[in-house]
Amino acid sequence: MMTKEKFDGLAEDYDLYRPRYPQALMAIIKDALPERDSLNIADVGAGTGIALEGLMPILGNQHRYYAVDISVDMIAQGRRKFPNVDWRLGKAEEIIPTLPELDLILAAQSFQWMDRPQMLAATRQALSSGGVFAVIQNNRLYQNSPFLEGYESLLETCSPGYSRHYRSFDFQGEIADAFTRPREAVAFHSHHWTMSIPASAFVGMSRSSTQAQRALAEDETRFLQRLDALLNQYMQDGNIELSYESQLFLVGAGESRKA
């Protein structure tokens, strides 16, 4: 019997409302890849393929793309957008060893959900000579935004177990240790940006998150009323401005995949 994963049932809203990744960071990934006519590329924890939307146009269609996710719904949505991508259902750390040697393994907004030691061990073994492992994520910049500060507080009040610091891991250190490299060998890039969206779209974005889903399950009326009040307080002309910091961690496999 197939179990229901945390993102099942959220795929359409997730695909419609989630922010995309800055092309400036995708360009950095491209520049780090080995110069080969055809590359094997895996997007792990791929969701509906949001990272592929930014990656494929900049790299081209001549490469072999794999996308791995644990959610049947996410994969179904992703296949509609990218039918030529090889979609695989399962945990990234278990699927990666079954794929051909890879030139890029990308974890976009997904690394925190994985068994990271197992994933990093599998990644180190799976990368080709000169291959690259990259982690990219969008973080809400609540520190400089009264609205986002209020939204984080709302989630912490209404979503059981939620903390705005839930992704406060030392990814750079973890990756360096797994690849037996000094910390500075794991490149870190940061990109700050803003976007303005209709308040109704923010509600859709919120609903697509597991954190808000827990708040809705706890007390849907309470959460939505408080979210509506927050949006009414800060929106201008029906829109709300969101600030983000996108982060990229990147390491190359070097000339040998194994120690």
Side-chain angles (χ1 to χ4, degrees), residues 23-36 39 41 55 58-59 63 103-104 130-132 134 187 189 248 250-252:
Q23 285 302 103
L25 296 186
M26 291 298 180
I28 291 171
I29 295 174
K30 177 185 178 183
D31 291 343
L33 295 178
E35 295 185 4
R36 297 179 183 132
L39 301 171
I41 295 165
L55 194 63
I58 202 170
L59 293 184
H63 308 299
D103 302 296
L104 171 64
V132 170
H189 302 272
L248 172 64
L250 188 147
V251 67

Side-chain angles (χ1 to χ4, degrees), residues 219-238:
D219 190 332
E220 181 172 0
T221 299
R222 176 192 185 208
F223 178 71
L224 291 178
Q225 285 179 344
R226 292 191 177 191
L227 178 57
D228 187 58
L230 189 65
L231 288 165
N232 285 328
Q233 182 179 356
Y234 289 105
M235 69 180 178
Q236 296 183 356
D237 298 323

Side-chain angles (χ1 to χ4, degrees), residues 11 14-15 41-53 56 64-90 95 98-99:
Y14 187 97
D15 192 54
I41 295 165
D43 180 5
V44 295
T48 62
I50 287 175
L52 293 175
E53 291 179 24
M56 293 178 71
R64 181 83 181 267
Y65 292 93
Y66 299 89
V68 182
D69 203 84
I70 59 173
S71 167
V72 173
D73 290 352
M74 290 286 180
I75 288 178
Q77 185 77 10
R79 277 201 179 110
R80 286 192 280 271
K81 295 194 299 182
F82 300 111
N84 294 326
V85 169
D86 187 341
W87 290 85
R88 304 289 181 96
L89 176 66
I95 297 294
T98 72
L99 300 178

